[in-house]
């Protein structure tokens, strides 16, 4: 459960579901909501000052990621070191390590955003796309050799929920 790294902003405090796992080394500020079975790992910053941060049910935010005014749907995976600013990520999407998602970006359902990708401001990623590059470009998953079902099975089935529950002192 969250301890002293839980800060109010203009009278609004973060809300963490009883079944969520939030590292004591994460920082939550203001209008932040973390849903059931979600996990927020060490070094993460969730800053809800200019707009809310919502981490949906069963979603996971990896070590050292920064989310500012971001909405995550259900079963979303955010990789270590990712930075998302004023963006929306729909259900079942995966955002890779060290990815940057800029303002006014919408990532559709079941997208895979490759590690290191930079998604420019205002970009609309269609559902079920593979996104990669600097700047990002999207290709329908059906037009790639990626086994999207296997990737989603590995990352969206609760494996991280189980991993978080096995850490005795981290959360």
């Amino acid at each position: 459960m969250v301890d002293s790294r839980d800060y109010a902003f203009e009278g609004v405090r973060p809300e963490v579901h009883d079944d969520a796992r939030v590292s004591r080394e994460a920082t939550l500020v203001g209008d932040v909501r973390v849903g059931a079975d979600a996990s927020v790992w060490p070094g993460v910053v969730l800053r809800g000052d200019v707009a809310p941060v919502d981490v949906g049910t069963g979603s996971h935010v990896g070590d050292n990621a920064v989310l500012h005014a971001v909405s995550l749907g259900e079963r979303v995976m955010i990789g270590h070191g990712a930075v998302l600013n004023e963006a929306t990520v729909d259900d079942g999407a995966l955002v890779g390590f060290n990815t940057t998602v800029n303002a006014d970006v919408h990532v559709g359902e079941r997208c895979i955003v490759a590690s290191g990708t930079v998604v420019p401001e205002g970009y609309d990623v269609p559902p079920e796309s593979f996104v990669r590059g600097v700047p990002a470009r999207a290709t329908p998953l059906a037009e790639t050799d990626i086994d999207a079902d296997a990737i989603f099975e590995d990352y969206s089935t609760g494996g991280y929920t189980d991993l978080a529950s096995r850490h005795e002192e981290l959360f």
Side-chain angles (χ1 to χ4, degrees), residues 76-96:
V76 171
M77 293 293 299
I78 303 297
H80 310 302
V83 176
L84 290 81
N85 185 56
E86 299 181 23
T88 300
V89 181
D90 287 343
D91 295 350
L94 184 145
V95 176

Side-chain angles (χ1 to χ4, degrees), residues 3 20 22 32 67 89 155 160:
D3 65 3
V22 176
V32 171
L67 280 65
V89 181
Y155 294 103
Y160 256 76

Side-chain angles (χ1 to χ4, degrees), residues 6 38 41 48 59 80-81 90 93 106 160 165:
D6 168 346
W41 292 76
S59 291
H80 310 302
D90 287 343
H106 178 233
Y160 256 76
S165 71

Side-chain angles (χ1 to χ4, degrees), residues 41-128:
W41 292 76
V44 168
V45 175
L46 304 179
R47 187 158 55 94
D49 50 9
V50 300
V53 172
D54 288 305
V55 177
T57 299
S59 291
H60 305 285
V61 183
D63 304 65
N64 298 314
V66 176
L67 280 65
H68 180 231
V70 169
S71 177
L72 305 181
E74 296 183 3
R75 299 172 330 278
V76 171
M77 293 293 299
I78 303 297
H80 310 302
V83 176
L84 290 81
N85 185 56
E86 299 181 23
T88 300
V89 181
D90 287 343
D91 295 350
L94 184 145
V95 176
F97 299 151
N98 296 311
T99 294
T100 300
V101 179
N102 286 293
D104 300 319
V105 168
H106 178 233
V107 177
E109 288 184 19
R110 291 179 46 90
C111 285
I112 298 171
V113 182
S115 295
T117 297
V118 176
V119 185
E121 187 170 331
Y123 200 83
D124 187 22
V125 179
E128 299 192 11

